[in-house]
Amino acid sequence: DDVMASAELAAYLGDLADQHKVWMQDATTRPGTTSPAGVRTLRVEIRAESDFEGLLEFLQALEQGSKLVRVERLDVSQALSGPGNEDAETLTIVASISGYALPDSTATTQPARPDVARRP
């Protein structure tokens, strides 16, 4: 189910963001696509804030993480500073991130050929 898989990808991104000082403001799932081989590409757009170190750590975690993801687009800009925060280094991050879901292994398993005898 693409909706559930995209939600899991968004949750994964949120967990990584929390671990690396990135404040995730929004994560929006986008329609996915399916390749002829059945691999689904899931898309999530995020909006977040962090400092430069947090952004780098987040990107490294994506690269070295347990899931195969690709950062399709990354926009980084300086956030407006609020009163009393003039010296704070806050960056606004907008990114489009793709993840991949393999087809269900039961759907790709070839049925046994009836003319081939099996050994007990």
Side-chain angles (χ1 to χ4, degrees), residues 10-90:
Y12 172 74
L13 297 173
D15 289 343
L16 285 181
D18 286 344
Q19 295 169 18
H20 298 285
K21 302 182 292 183
V22 174
W23 178 52
M24 185 90 69
Q25 296 171 328
D26 187 36
T28 306
T29 60
R30 297 288 181 223
T33 57
T34 303
S35 76
V39 177
R40 295 184 329 248
T41 302
L42 310 165
R43 291 183 173 80
V44 176
E45 291 190 10
I46 65 166
R47 177 180 279 300
E49 284 189 355
S50 184
D51 60 6
F52 189 69
E53 182 179 350
L55 171 61
L56 288 179
E57 289 176 2
F58 177 66
L59 293 173
Q60 287 175 337
L62 287 175
E63 184 177 70
Q64 299 169 359
S66 62
K67 302 208 182 286
L68 177 61
V69 298
R70 180 178 176 178
V71 178
E72 301 282 341
R73 179 179 61 98
L74 177 65
D75 295 328
V76 180
S77 60
Q78 185 174 8
L80 298 175
S81 57
N85 255 356
E86 291 83 11
D87 295 332
E89 174 196 29
T90 304

